[in-house]
Amino acid sequence: MEIRRAASARPLHALTRPDGTPVRVLVVDDEPDLAEVLCGVLRYEGWLVCGATDGASAIAAARDFRPDAVLLDVMLPDFDGLQVLRKLRAEQPHVCVLFLTARDSVEDRIAGITAGGDDYVTKPFSLEEVLARLRGLLRRAGMTRALTDESLLVVGGLVMDEEAREVTRDGEAVELSPTEFELLRFLMRNPRRVLSKAQILDRVWSYDFGGQAHVVELYISYLRKKIDAGRTPMIHTVRGAGYVLKQAAQ
């Protein structure tokens, strides 16, 4: 019943790529019934969907299908989902990856994020949650056009072109994952303002990610390695309050 209700109403504004073509999603799960339901719901969104039941076929399908996002089961019959993720990232570094997992420990969550996953849902899950998290990942990856005509954000020597999804610091390009990009954008839109972990979770992940503040800490550390490494820091921790982005002192 829940599945039928979840797929009963097509969204008024389907999410598409910026050029208007359908979003492409690869579904990887060795449970045929679940994979079929997921593929059906995503097709109902107007997206192009490809399915795979094991790691080897998933990697092969990704090469041909070139997905924008991957729904990836952690437990597969041949490869561990984390191994599949590493292979996908090696060939398509900007693809969004949403883990489907029966594991709910903090250690497993951190392992998935550290391996390059952007988000996860824990089985059993609702289809509404899967769709919401996928939409959030795709928005962060630039699947929809910016709502503002002002595409440049500038804080000191840090420059973000929201439309082109490019970041530079002091003229040097900075490569970011979709989630890192969205986190930095939130910080840059609020320079010199202390942002709490709760605010960051709400804005960057849409859902609260189970209230796991350590995810924010993890991604802040990723950003610091890419933005601040070898330079005067711009991202600062305000103990007991959150994080703030400020122009580097001259």
Side-chain angles (χ1 to χ4, degrees):
M1 294 297 292
E2 179 184 8
I3 291 174
R4 286 196 291 270
R5 288 199 299 271
S8 62
R10 187 189 298 269
L12 294 176
H13 303 288
L15 191 66
T16 68
R17 289 171 162 178
D19 62 2
T21 58
V23 170
R24 305 170 75 88
V25 182
L26 173 62
V27 176
V28 186
D29 199 296
D30 64 345
E31 297 180 48
D33 291 341
L34 176 58
E36 182 179 354
V37 169
L38 287 169
C39 288
V41 169
L42 298 179
R43 289 191 182 102
Y44 201 77
E45 286 285 301
W47 299 346
L48 296 179
V49 183
C50 179
T53 57
D54 56 51
S57 60
I59 294 165
R63 292 191 182 112
D64 296 330
F65 186 60
R66 306 300 294 181
D68 301 300
V70 180
L71 285 180
L72 179 58
D73 189 9
V74 172
M75 302 296 291
L76 294 171
D78 51 356
F79 298 127
D80 183 277
L82 300 184
Q83 293 176 298
V84 175
L85 172 61
R86 293 185 184 98
K87 292 179 182 293
L88 290 175
R89 283 278 189 235
E91 298 185 13
Q92 300 177 54
H94 300 298
V95 67
C96 301
V97 177
L98 176 62
F99 274 125
L100 308 175
T101 176
R103 302 170 176 173
D104 195 29
S105 71
V106 172
E107 291 78 9
D108 287 321
R109 296 172 187 171
I110 292 177
I113 296 297
T114 302
D118 296 293
D119 203 346
Y120 73 95
V121 290
T122 305
K123 297 180 180 179
F125 48 74
S126 71
L127 296 178
E128 290 93 340
E129 181 180 10
V130 172
L131 283 172
R133 289 185 182 269
L134 261 183
R135 292 189 194 107
L137 288 181
L138 290 166
R139 284 195 299 269
R140 297 199 291 272
M143 289 298 107
T144 54
R145 297 184 186 277
L147 297 178
T148 175
D149 292 332
E150 299 178 7
S151 62
L152 286 184
L153 296 175
V154 181
V155 180
L158 188 62
V159 180
M160 171 181 285
D161 186 330
E162 294 181 285
E163 198 165 301
R165 298 190 68 78
E166 295 175 349
V167 175
T168 61
R169 179 164 181 192
D170 301 328
E172 295 183 13
V174 179
E175 295 294 328
L176 300 177
S177 72
T179 302
E180 291 167 349
F181 184 93
E182 187 65 17
L183 173 55
L184 181 60
R185 172 156 56 183
F186 187 41
L187 293 172
M188 291 186 70
R189 285 181 173 177
N190 296 274
R192 304 191 63 81
R193 176 185 171 193
V194 178
L195 301 171
S196 69
K197 293 176 184 177
Q199 288 174 310
I200 294 172
L201 281 168
D202 181 66
R203 173 60 182 83
V204 177
W205 278 269
S206 298
Y207 276 65
D208 67 359
F209 214 80
Q212 299 298 325
H214 69 274
V215 174
V216 176
E217 298 168 5
L218 188 63
Y219 270 88
I220 287 289
S221 72
Y222 290 164
L223 272 187
R224 281 179 166 147
K225 290 176 183 177
K226 295 183 176 184
I227 300 297
D228 288 342
R231 304 181 176 99
T232 303
M234 294 183 69
I235 302 172
H236 304 270
T237 300
V238 180
R239 185 166 297 182
Y243 302 96
V244 61
L245 179 76
K246 298 188 292 186
Q247 181 174 346
Q250 301 299 317

